Amino acid sequence: CGPDKFLDDVADDDFAEGCRLTNLIGQKAVETLDEMKLKAMRKKLPSPKNPKYKMAVVGFTAPGGAAMNTDKDKTGSRYDSTPIANGVINAGASCDLIDYTPDSHDGFAKMVDKYDGLIVRINPGQLSAPGVVAGAQERFDTLMMSCVGKGKPVWSSPAVQKQMGAKDALVKIKDMSCGLPDTYAYYTQEELEVGFKKCAAFQPRVIKQNRGSAGEGIWLVWLMDKPYCKNFGDASCSDNDKLKLMEMNDNHVEYHTVREFLDFCVKGPGGSAGQWKSTFPGKYLEGGKEAGGQLVDQRLLPRIVEGEVRMQMVKDTLFAIIHKKPTEGNMSAVGGVSDYTFYEPDAPEFAELKAKFEADIPKVMDSMGLGGEPLPILWTGDFIPVDDHLAPYVVGEFNCSCVGISKFGAACGPDKFLDDVADDDFAEGCR
């Protein structure tokens, strides 16, 4: 310090010690700014003055209060909608939080016309909940598809949710490296009768209903008391052949004849289907194909006991890998009975899976007849390990219907908000 002095005059030891302090000062200053930025992002940020695009996150509040809106925070918005809107704003676009209003559909339609793109955050089934105006889901879906027709992206559009989220998506990708070639879909009782009897006589199978999201109506199927045929098509099961069945929502086991299982799938329990322990009513083909009535039939992959690998995707970018391993004594990780291990997207354990899936991604939308639509903005693929295949894992399920951001989970509840989310979780969720 002095009119003729500079840092060159400081002894090396003193300079090094001083820098140790000033480096810490700088570090703490930047940390404080980061903390302030994250704190600010716990509320909706102001939109930029000259946004690149005008966007909105679309929600819906069902009648019935908190009991019918279990995904909401204390402001009435979905618990992860505010951070999503802030992410859009940080990318240079404006973003509003808006609610669909079935009682004023035309007014809502006029309002959304001003936006360049929409991110829909409405839980499946909410627009069909008790007390909602009849036909609200259909009118909302029609409006969203009209936006798509005008060249405005909707994430995810009704068409994408229906095609990609349906179990028969597995049939449409069966010839990709991430699919299984011996995957079949049944839409009628006749198709189910012929196809299932032939497949079940050849090898253990997995039968998946289209509805539900926690393993209900997903059955592992083993033929009992007789050998499998050597080649596919050499034999078909008879009505009286016995089956061992395990439902994936709770891993409970039942024993039934082929006839009882088929009748349960079509008509539900009782009568010719006999009595069932399952808490869900079967009738998986009800309503026909257009209403989502379908069953998908795949070979049972014995390595499912090793768990499933969830690839969490943001459009075409892998964000995280989650290994879901069944808890001790359980067969499958489906239904929540699992332990979770989280990995970064470049984890070497899953490098081959990542490479194979990224090669398949450009073909996914075309395979489902969705070539004109963008990939979902937030979606997941659940993979099961397989032997003797083009890839080390195959897809067991896609999910693109309002996938939740678990790091913000503490903000979910009628008296909760983003302030209740731990700093580390909030930072990771915002990333």
Side-chain angles (χ1 to χ4, degrees), residues 72-153:
K72 302 297 191 293
D73 62 25
K74 67 182 182 182
T75 71
S77 293
R78 184 181 158 88
Y79 70 95
D80 52 10
S81 288
T82 296
I84 290 174
N86 286 343
V88 173
I89 290 167
N90 284 332
S94 67
C95 194
D96 296 329
L97 296 175
I98 62 175
D99 255 18
Y100 175 56
T101 50
D103 294 329
S104 181
H105 175 84
D106 291 343
F108 179 82
K110 184 176 180 180
M111 177 175 63
V112 299
D113 199 48
K114 68 181 180 181
Y115 293 110
D116 299 306
L118 302 171
I119 300 174
V120 178
R121 301 297 287 172
I122 300 176
N123 265 1
Q126 282 187 328
L127 284 172
S128 304
V132 180
V133 175
Q137 183 71 67
E138 291 76 12
R139 286 195 296 275
F140 180 79
D141 289 351
T142 299
L143 174 60
M144 293 299 100
M145 291 311 299
S146 74
C147 291
V148 172
K150 295 175 183 176
K152 298 181 179 184

Side-chain angles (χ1 to χ4, degrees), residues 234-300:
D234 282 354
S236 290
C237 291
S238 70
D239 284 347
N240 294 324
D241 282 338
K242 296 179 181 179
L243 302 173
K244 176 184 175 181
L245 303 150
M246 178 185 287
E247 191 173 16
M248 290 294 90
N249 63 309
D250 58 7
N251 286 268
H252 84 276
V253 174
E254 306 203 24
Y255 299 90
H256 293 277
T257 66
V258 169
R259 180 77 270 143
E260 288 171 340
F261 179 60
L262 294 176
D263 285 348
F264 174 78
C265 289
V266 176
K267 304 174 185 177
S272 59
Q275 299 304 308
W276 287 70
K277 300 175 187 175
S278 176
T279 56
F280 297 91
K283 301 182 182 180
Y284 304 132
L285 303 182
E286 194 169 53
K289 184 177 181 179
E290 287 303 311
Q294 60 177 255
L295 283 167
V296 166
D297 183 346
Q298 289 186 306
R299 86 178 91 136
L300 172 60

Side-chain angles (χ1 to χ4, degrees), residues 416-427:
K416 302 293 184 181
F417 191 57
L418 293 169
D419 295 335
D420 297 294
V421 178
D423 290 347
D424 288 349
D425 287 341
F426 188 78

Side-chain angles (χ1 to χ4, degrees), residues 189-364:
Q189 183 175 355
E190 294 72 24
E191 291 172 343
L192 174 62
E193 291 266 351
V194 175
F196 174 77
K197 286 182 175 181
K198 188 183 294 184
C199 290
F202 177 52
Q203 59 190 177
R205 307 298 294 180
V206 181
I207 303 298
K208 303 180 180 184
Q209 71 143 329
N210 191 41
R211 306 175 179 104
S213 60
E216 64 272 27
I218 299 179
W219 295 93
L220 309 188
V221 182
W222 295 269
L223 183 63
M224 296 178 61
D225 300 333
K226 64 185 298 185
Y228 290 104
C229 62
K230 185 176 181 181
N231 301 299
F232 180 67
D234 282 354
S236 290
C237 291
S238 70
D239 284 347
N240 294 324
D241 282 338
K242 296 179 181 179
L243 302 173
K244 176 184 175 181
L245 303 150
M246 178 185 287
E247 191 173 16
M248 290 294 90
N249 63 309
D250 58 7
N251 286 268
H252 84 276
V253 174
E254 306 203 24
Y255 299 90
H256 293 277
T257 66
V258 169
R259 180 77 270 143
E260 288 171 340
F261 179 60
L262 294 176
D263 285 348
F264 174 78
C265 289
V266 176
K267 304 174 185 177
S272 59
Q275 299 304 308
W276 287 70
K277 300 175 187 175
S278 176
T279 56
F280 297 91
K283 301 182 182 180
Y284 304 132
L285 303 182
E286 194 169 53
K289 184 177 181 179
E290 287 303 311
Q294 60 177 255
L295 283 167
V296 166
D297 183 346
Q298 289 186 306
R299 86 178 91 136
L300 172 60
L301 301 175
R303 290 180 60 196
I304 193 172
V305 296
E306 299 172 24
E308 295 183 340
V309 176
R310 171 164 289 179
M311 308 289 272
Q312 186 181 41
M313 306 295 300
V314 181
K315 202 165 181 276
D316 57 354
T317 300
L318 177 62
F319 179 78
I321 300 171
I322 305 109
H323 183 222
K324 303 186 296 178
K325 186 175 181 179
T327 53
E328 187 174 353
N330 287 307
M331 179 79 178
S332 167
V334 176
V337 283
S338 53
D339 295 319
Y340 289 73
T341 305
F342 294 83
Y343 296 87
E344 292 296 317
D346 57 354
E349 298 95 323
F350 303 106
E352 186 179 359
L353 166 59
K354 178 184 177 183
K356 293 285 188 181
F357 188 44
E358 287 181 340
D360 279 341
I361 284 174
K363 300 176 281 188
V364 166

